[in-house]
Amino acid sequence: MTTPDKPINFIQQIINADIEAGQVGRVVTRFPPEPNGYLHIGHAKAICVNFGLAQEYGGHCHLRFDDTNPESESEEFVQAIIEDVRWLGFQWHGDVRYASSYFVQLYTWATYLVQQNLAYVCELNAQQMRDYRGTLTEGGKDSPHRDRPAEESLTLLEEMKQGSIDEGRMTLRAKIDMQSPNINLRDPVLYRVKKLVHHRTGSDWNIYPSYDFAHGQEDAIEGVTHSICTLEFAANRPLYNWFIEQLPVPSKPRQYEFGRLKVNYMVTSKRKLKLLIDQGHVDGWDDPRMPTLSGMRRRGVTPRAIRNFCDSLAVAKTDGVVDIGQLEHFIRDDLNRDARRAMCVLDPIKLLIANYPAEKHESFNAAVHPNREDMGTRELHFSRHLWIDRSDFSEDSSLSRKKYKRLVLGDYVRLRGAYVVRADQVVKDQQGNLVEIHASLVPDTVGANPPEGCKPRGVIHWVCADRSIECTVHRYDRLFSQPLANSAEQSFADCLNPHSLDVIKNCQAEAALADARVGEHYQFEREGYFCLDSGAGTDGELVFNCTIGLRDTWQK
RNA sequence: UGGGGCGUCGCCAAGUGGUUAAGGCAACGGGUUUUGAUCCCGUCAUUCGGAGGUUCGACUCCUCCCGCCCCAGCCA
């Protein structure tokens, strides 16, 4: 589908070796989002990698919610994530899975660890635990409760579970090594008390497992063979393995890490995205300016463009920042191939064809797509009164033909799909503002070259004033004016582009656009790619979102 | 100055001891074009973070150095 001989990445090499060594029968991967926000472009890569690997090796990929912390998780996010994964074009194997489905098993394993003297209930509070943990360069101190009898820990753990222990008072910790140079191994927390209602288990639990204690075991339960995550979890791998070794788990998954996708001018942090919403900088998770899958969908980005983009990215251990231009390339590439062509005048000014009878009307057939006859034709209406874009006309006849390929007073231009016309005179109001252009058409130039000596400067789009439909166009600019690369973390809110949304009212679109449907993509010729907005529009207003402008390579 | 990971063209990135150091994006030339789009052609790293070393031969092996990222949540 993509590059025929794309190099094999390091994970594929590992899988190949595993298969060759007979270590792995069927490859099983998983995409494990926490339902505490919407999916964004960064998740798209993880989805493509995990589902892609399963597809490639004829294996399975699970969709599993890592819902171990009810604090910020919700059913709304679960549903949104499910919809986004489907929209991106992937189907998980079997039912949607949840970490919360394994809570009982996880708890059983926790008691097993206590019985093996590998875990204990600790009564240090958060601050004390921090103090006991040591620092990056110095080891920590053993908790005073580290050697309490297993029976006592078991009783306390049961009390935590029953809800008789207050939040923050106790935790269940693994007994590993407080001197370990890897801080994750300094007796990590397995369970903490959280008296919260969980969106799936309700009030069944007063304690919830930590990520470290849950993730690997979830993988083991599901028979995941290759648990692929991002680089920041590399330091957790020894802990992941420790649980898999100590516990009687049904399978032994392995964790591999690759570089998380970052794109400049975009934020891919759920916390920051949430902030943008909470502070009112955008309308919501699906605001077309958001790098969320739902935002991009509403903006008009196709799932295939996102997939192609992700497939073009390497699965490697370097963590770079991809230029947003690369994403844009795949968006244009996909839209160019399939988008229906149409004309829409964003800043209309009247063009009166003086030598065309007032009562006359013609219609021409124009290709829906210039390079694809199979997409058929559409009907273009033509009459004496037309709309063209203000920026496509100039009174300055000294403008060179090379520099200005549009309509100039006294010169010719081609009306796309229709006649060649010449601008003859200009009508202005009291203030001297241009209100109308009078032109004359060159006969017999529809679908035919003009006579010798008549050289149109270029081609401009237009719309028949009698049949056009009014619409609103939303044009977007990047949400941030700074690349926000790497650690430009500081105050990302200060980098917001105040002009990220441009609402253009009273645009004039060709009649065929009255049939536009949500989910269809259009190219407004000479402008860009657009789609009908799926969000607002209850008042019958026709709103088109600009997905992305056409590539624009001429210097002004 | 603990541990882990990474450094190849402006960006992403192949390369696993012998290749003219892939490819994509961007950029820049030129051609086609009733979209300044698409499409097509061409240009774009004597050099692989740096310095040494091993070798007939190193981006690939060794040593040291420099730089960047991650880990001290009862977040994931």
Side-chain angles (χ1 to χ4, degrees), chain A residues 1-108:
Chain A
M1 187 175 72
T2 32
T3 334
D5 35 55
K6 196 181 172 184
I8 284 209
N9 66 51
F10 81 100
I11 293 177
Q12 292 167 313
Q13 289 178 25
I14 289 167
I15 294 177
N16 289 345
D18 287 347
I19 290 173
E20 221 165 294
Q23 303 277 56
V24 171
R26 161 173 274 139
V27 171
V28 180
T29 57
R30 102 268 91 113
F31 173 60
E34 183 190 13
N36 66 345
Y38 279 51
L39 262 25
H40 53 64
I41 186 71
H43 293 110
K45 183 180 176 188
I47 293 171
C48 289
V49 168
N50 280 295
F51 281 91
L53 247 18
Q55 261 165 25
E56 183 183 342
Y57 287 95
H60 298 322
C61 182
H62 298 175
L63 172 59
R64 180 181 74 228
F65 286 95
D66 223 348
D67 53 351
T68 59
N69 182 1
E71 214 162 296
S72 51
E73 297 165 2
S74 77
E75 187 60 24
E76 179 210 341
F77 295 135
V78 168
Q79 292 311 320
I81 289 170
I82 288 175
E83 185 188 352
D84 285 346
V85 173
R86 272 215 193 92
W87 174 74
L88 237 203
F90 295 102
Q91 181 58 56
W92 47 93
H93 180 255
D95 295 331
V96 170
R97 295 149 209 258
Y98 299 86
S100 52
S101 303
Y102 313 136
F103 279 175
V104 172
Q105 174 64 271
L106 255 12
Y107 183 76
T108 303

Side-chain angles (χ1 to χ4, degrees), chain A residues 214-273:
Chain A
H215 205 94
Q217 283 73 282
E218 295 163 16
D219 288 337
I221 291 169
E222 296 183 2
V224 168
T225 53
H226 302 264
S227 182
I228 298 155
C229 62
T230 43
L231 250 26
E232 66 267 30
F233 291 100
N236 299 55
R237 184 170 5 109
L239 183 51
Y240 182 105
N241 292 336
W242 189 86
F243 289 124
I244 294 302
E245 288 310 312
Q246 305 302 329
L247 260 12
V249 290
S251 75
K252 295 200 185 305
R254 303 283 297 169
Q255 172 183 305
Y256 301 98
E257 313 88 23
F258 72 98
R260 170 193 282 275
L261 167 63
K262 285 190 210 137
V263 181
N264 57 16
Y265 298 99
M266 285 183 156
V267 302
T268 43
S269 138
K270 278 191 263 192
R271 187 183 63 79
K272 290 179 185 170
L273 293 177

Side-chain angles (χ1 to χ4, degrees), chain A residues 253-388:
Chain A
R254 303 283 297 169
Q255 172 183 305
Y256 301 98
E257 313 88 23
F258 72 98
R260 170 193 282 275
L261 167 63
K262 285 190 210 137
V263 181
N264 57 16
Y265 298 99
M266 285 183 156
V267 302
T268 43
S269 138
K270 278 191 263 192
R271 187 183 63 79
K272 290 179 185 170
L273 293 177
K274 202 167 288 188
L275 224 50
L276 288 173
I277 296 166
D278 294 345
Q279 298 180 349
H281 296 120
V282 297
D283 288 339
W285 290 100
D286 72 339
D287 184 297
R289 292 166 293 180
M290 291 283 267
T292 51
L293 296 187
S294 56
M296 290 192 285
R297 171 168 64 234
R298 185 169 163 194
R299 172 89 168 248
V301 176
T302 59
R304 187 168 57 188
I306 295 174
R307 273 186 264 122
N308 289 347
F309 169 64
C310 290
D311 289 346
S312 81
L313 268 17
V315 176
K317 293 206 167 208
T318 44
D319 55 340
V321 180
V322 177
D323 193 288
I324 194 168
Q326 192 150 334
L327 205 210
E328 293 173 341
H329 162 78
F330 286 100
I331 295 172
R332 289 197 181 95
D333 186 53
D334 193 45
L335 257 15
N336 172 55
R337 191 161 46 232
D338 296 325
R340 304 169 65 83
R341 309 293 134 124
M343 289 193 279
C344 180
V345 177
L346 304 190
D347 185 10
I349 182 153
K350 281 190 173 161
L351 182 74
L352 184 147
I353 312 297
N355 62 346
Y356 198 84
E359 67 286 356
K360 192 174 174 186
H361 170 269
E362 283 177 279
S363 68
F364 315 121
N365 283 326
V368 168
H369 190 117
N371 311 322
R372 288 182 52 178
E373 266 184 51
D374 61 292
M375 288 179 74
T377 59
R378 66 192 205 269
E379 193 176 23
L380 250 36
H381 299 283
F382 189 89
S383 71
R384 182 179 168 93
H385 297 283
L386 310 176
W387 293 112
I388 64 168

Side-chain angles (χ1 to χ4, degrees), chain A residues 104-174:
Chain A
V104 172
Q105 174 64 271
L106 255 12
Y107 183 76
T108 303
W109 279 332
T111 60
Y112 173 87
L113 245 24
V114 174
Q115 282 157 356
Q116 300 297 305
N117 235 290
L118 292 171
Y120 60 96
V121 168
C122 176
E123 293 174 55
L124 253 29
N125 64 35
Q127 182 55 50
Q128 292 170 316
M129 199 180 293
R130 210 168 296 139
D131 294 340
Y132 274 72
R133 185 150 34 222
T135 66
L136 291 178
T137 51
E138 300 158 36
K141 285 187 301 189
D142 285 0
S143 161
H145 315 110
R146 200 172 202 258
D147 293 315
R148 90 186 336 153
E151 284 312 313
E152 197 178 309
S153 279
L154 244 20
T155 305
L156 256 18
L157 177 59
E158 183 61 24
E159 283 176 26
M160 286 165 63
K161 176 172 176 263
Q162 294 310 324
S164 42
I165 306 295
D166 290 338
E167 283 188 30
R169 286 270 297 109
M170 292 182 191
T171 57
L172 179 72
R173 295 226 260 164

